[in-house]
Amino acid sequence: MAKLEVVQILTKKDSGRIWNVSWHPKGDVLASCGEDKCIRIWAKDLLGKWTNKIVLTDGHKRTIRQVAWSPCGNYLASAGFDATTCIWSKQDGEFECNATLEGHENEVKSVAWSKSGQYLGTCSRDKSVWIWEVAEENEYDCAAVLNAHTQDVKKIIWHPKKDILASASYDNTIKFFREDVSDGDWVCCGTLVGHDSTVWSISFDGDGSRLASCSDDCTIKIWKEYVPGNPEGVATVDNDSTWKCVCTLSGQHSRTIYDINWCPITGLLATACADDSVRIFKEDVGSDLSAPTFNLICNVEKAHNEDVNCVSWNPTAKGLLATCSDDGEIKIWNFIDN
Amino acid sequence: MPFGTQLENQNPTLYSKSADRLVTQEEYNDDIADDFDEREIFDLIRNINDPEHPLTLEELHVVRQNLISVENDKNNVFINFTPTIPHCSMATLIGLSIRVKLLRCLPPRFKVKVEVTPGTHNAEHQVNKQLADKERVAAALENSHLIKVINQCIAPRNRA
């Protein structure tokens, strides 16, 4: 039987709800954030225990919803309910906030760096998605303000290989954005309709040809890319790929699913649910790409004492998973597949 | 009156209040486990003030004991509230006050769901979705103006 074993529980008294955890691209450092307006940086001490090394304060005046490391690992971006995004960089061993991105009308819900490191995306309750171009040192130029969603935008992620941004919203849809090569404008190049309520989170698989989404409708959906001229004959428009829902996993979650993460190393899907559970799904070997099947292989009930807000696979250590919760705890787990 | 000069519902129907709950000897006995029940949840929210009238949610029949259900072992609390009129613009604020009151009073293990009684509000689905979105609720509670209004609704009022 597959199982998740707790490696360590990380807590700080009175930190309140923890919204998000993010692994450094090297996998040896973890950043966390939440309603206490602080960012905590965790790393292993000499005895191999995860320890809180640094606390970053003074960046935000309100809750910090999400943190994200740049692909090079030198920068950390934080999205705040105070409508700002802060960029932190490490200089002389200390983190400093060197840029504050302003422009959103209200809460910034998510922030993400493109794989190329050239772009940063942010999204907000003001329904917009902003693309920032990384210019010189600590300079960020707004390249686009995208108003395609009709409601609160919950989460954005970049494609693992291309400069394509995906966004998930309270309007129940997922959208894709890319730069139009002819005029340099950013455009919406796809809308995925299928969820019946808020889409809280999305995650690409390792090569970016599939996307997993999770929702307040208590389902997970797997979307597959059909490139122009695909052998299956799925119609495409304007040389853009068409994304189709090829699998819906329902009946496995009893409450809102707040986060989903697709491990690029193992291909396992992990979910964070408001029923306090963490679940792991595995794709059947040899399952049909156009109608794949996934099985629940591990269900940790009471993984936390309250809602689980985030699940994140370590990018380098196989099977290492970090989760965080409304109960104020971060847990590091080891996935064992027997 | 915090919301303009015109009352939305000028003449709300008034209902009588229920009697105080009888406290039994058993409840004073620490050796007997005392689960949360509908009446206790009702007692926590019945005296929340209406944002518009100097009346409680109980007196306006916005909250009623028979529209509350508790599954103590499963940590579930489910509350239906009934706006006094179907286009009530205060519906979200009332629901938020109920949520905040229970957030503060109940142990954190409880999952509280606050919804409009089916068929009693024009924007029922919208109000329910907003009240169920904990991220938006969290952001709302960081809004100093809003939390002041909510606290005024929750705080017991001294009335003759």
Side-chain angles (χ1 to χ4, degrees):
Chain A
M1 229 349 240
K3 60 181 175 184
L4 276 178
E5 274 182 0
V6 178
V7 175
Q8 204 186 322
I9 302 173
L10 320 181
T11 46
K12 278 284 162 193
K13 252 193 170 164
D14 306 323
S15 69
R17 169 184 284 159
I18 301 178
W19 274 113
N20 184 246
V21 284
S22 175
W23 290 106
H24 186 277
K26 284 192 182 136
D28 55 352
V29 170
L30 186 75
S32 67
C33 65
E35 70 175 337
D36 68 354
K37 309 172 189 73
C38 302
I39 299 166
R40 292 177 202 278
I41 312 275
W42 308 78
K44 276 188 182 172
D45 62 15
L46 294 171
L47 298 168
K49 284 272 167 201
W50 293 93
T51 326
N52 187 192
K53 302 278 187 186
I54 301 166
V55 184
L56 304 178
T57 54
D58 304 331
H60 291 277
K61 293 182 186 70
R62 290 180 56 187
T63 283
I64 304 174
R65 179 64 182 88
Q66 205 198 319
V67 278
W69 294 95
S70 62
C72 65
N74 295 331
Y75 301 92
L76 183 70
S78 55
F81 278 4
D82 60 4
T84 71
T85 305
C86 291
I87 313 291
W88 308 78
S89 56
K90 199 175 182 181
Q91 277 159 351
D92 309 322
E94 298 225 357
F95 279 89
E96 265 182 55
C97 176
N98 286 319
T100 301
L101 311 185
E102 293 175 350
H104 281 295
E105 280 169 36
N106 35 45
E107 297 94 89
V108 184
K109 299 286 178 78
S110 179
V111 59
W113 302 82
S114 70
K115 196 69 187 172
S116 64
Q118 198 187 343
Y119 298 107
L120 186 76
T122 57
C123 66
S124 160
R125 189 164 70 87
D126 68 12
K127 306 170 188 172
S128 69
V129 172
W130 289 45
I131 311 278
W132 306 80
E133 192 156 6
V134 181
E136 290 162 55
E137 184 79 7
N138 303 324
E139 291 262 356
Y140 298 82
D141 297 330
C142 175
V145 176
L146 303 158
N147 290 305
H149 283 292
T150 58
Q151 290 287 342
D152 189 357
V153 189
K154 296 295 194 186
K155 176 93 178 203
I156 48 165
I157 56 166
W158 288 89
H159 190 280
K161 290 179 176 163
K162 301 175 210 162
D163 283 336
I164 291 175
L165 184 87
S167 60
S169 167
Y170 188 88
D171 69 13
N172 308 354
T173 71
I174 298 156
K175 288 182 184 285
F176 289 110
F177 301 94
R178 61 159 172 81
E179 194 176 8
D180 188 335
V181 279
S182 62
D183 56 9
D185 280 349
W186 284 78
V187 291
C188 176
C189 57
T191 300
L192 314 191
V193 178
H195 280 296
D196 294 327
S197 190
T198 303
V199 187
W200 277 96
S201 189
I202 41 181
S203 180
F204 280 109
D205 70 352
D207 69 358
S209 63
R210 292 193 289 175
L211 182 84
S213 59
C214 65
S215 164
D216 180 52
D217 68 13
C218 303
T219 71
I220 298 170
K221 286 184 185 289
I222 308 292
W223 309 79
K224 180 178 159 18
E225 178 181 25
Y226 292 89
V227 297
N230 62 82
E232 292 90 347
V234 174
T236 58
V237 181
D238 289 347
N239 238 15
D240 281 317
S241 295
T242 295
W243 290 75
K244 273 179 54 173
C245 178
V246 289
C247 174
T248 300
L249 293 163
S250 47
Q252 311 275 19
H253 299 82
S254 58
R255 289 178 181 277
T256 306
I257 311 162
Y258 287 120
D259 197 20
I260 189 160
N261 194 232
W262 206 328
C263 180
I265 304 174
T266 62
L268 295 170
L269 277 172
T271 59
C273 186
D275 63 10
D276 309 345
S277 299
V278 171
R279 295 178 175 84
I280 310 286
F281 295 85
K282 188 179 185 179
E283 187 171 7
D284 279 335
V285 180
S287 84
D288 179 1
L289 275 178
S290 290
T293 46
F294 287 79
N295 284 308
L296 177 69
I297 56 163
C298 182
N299 180 7
V300 187
E301 284 174 30
K302 289 274 149 212
H304 283 274
N305 291 319
E306 294 177 51
D307 295 6
V308 188
N309 291 324
C310 176
V311 275
S312 181
W313 291 106
N314 187 292
T316 58
K318 190 180 171 187
L320 200 65
L321 184 78
T323 61
C324 65
S325 161
D326 279 357
D327 68 10
E329 290 187 345
I330 298 163
K331 286 188 180 177
I332 312 279
W333 309 79
N334 199 13
F335 177 77
I336 300 159
D337 195 359
N338 290 328
Chain B
M1 230 190 41
F3 296 93
T5 47
Q6 189 70 38
L7 285 174
E8 271 195 357
N9 187 0
Q10 307 249 7
N11 292 306
T13 317
L14 274 183
Y15 298 85
S16 59
K17 299 209 282 179
S18 45
D20 284 342
R21 185 169 62 97
L22 286 175
V23 180
T24 62
Q25 278 305 309
E26 271 191 0
E27 289 174 85
Y28 288 115
N29 186 342
D30 287 343
D31 295 329
I32 298 172
D34 180 16
D35 287 349
F36 282 88
D37 59 24
E38 285 76 11
R39 176 62 207 234
E40 274 172 291
I41 303 295
F42 180 66
D43 279 349
L44 290 171
I45 60 175
R46 62 193 279 209
N47 289 321
I48 295 174
N49 302 296
D50 182 78
E52 197 169 64
H53 295 283
L55 296 164
T56 66
L57 297 187
E58 178 188 20
E59 288 168 310
L60 293 167
H61 258 199
V62 173
V63 296
R64 300 168 73 167
Q65 190 181 331
N66 61 0
L67 293 176
I68 297 171
S69 65
V70 180
E71 296 173 311
N72 188 72
D73 51 333
K74 289 184 184 160
N75 301 327
N76 284 331
V77 173
F78 186 79
I79 291 158
N80 269 152
F81 70 103
T82 315
T84 54
I85 42 172
H87 52 271
C88 178
S89 64
M90 314 284 179
T92 313
L93 180 62
I94 292 169
L96 213 46
S97 301
I98 296 170
R99 259 198 90 146
V100 173
K101 174 78 189 192
L102 293 177
L103 198 70
R104 290 178 185 167
C105 295
L106 293 177
R109 68 181 167 97
F110 278 106
K111 313 269 185 190
V112 179
K113 198 172 200 177
V114 178
E115 291 188 344
V116 172
T117 310
T120 63
H121 196 273
N122 297 343
E124 184 183 319
H125 176 70
Q126 257 170 282
V127 172
N128 289 345
K129 191 172 182 183
Q130 214 165 328
L131 288 173
D133 186 321
K134 71 167 182 181
E135 187 185 60
R136 288 168 73 129
V137 170
L141 300 187
E142 287 184 0
N143 175 327
S144 56
H145 169 70
L146 192 60
I147 198 70
K148 210 169 140 186
V149 175
I150 291 171
N151 282 337
Q152 278 166 4
C153 289
I154 293 176
R157 208 173 279 173
N158 289 321
R159 284 181 296 131

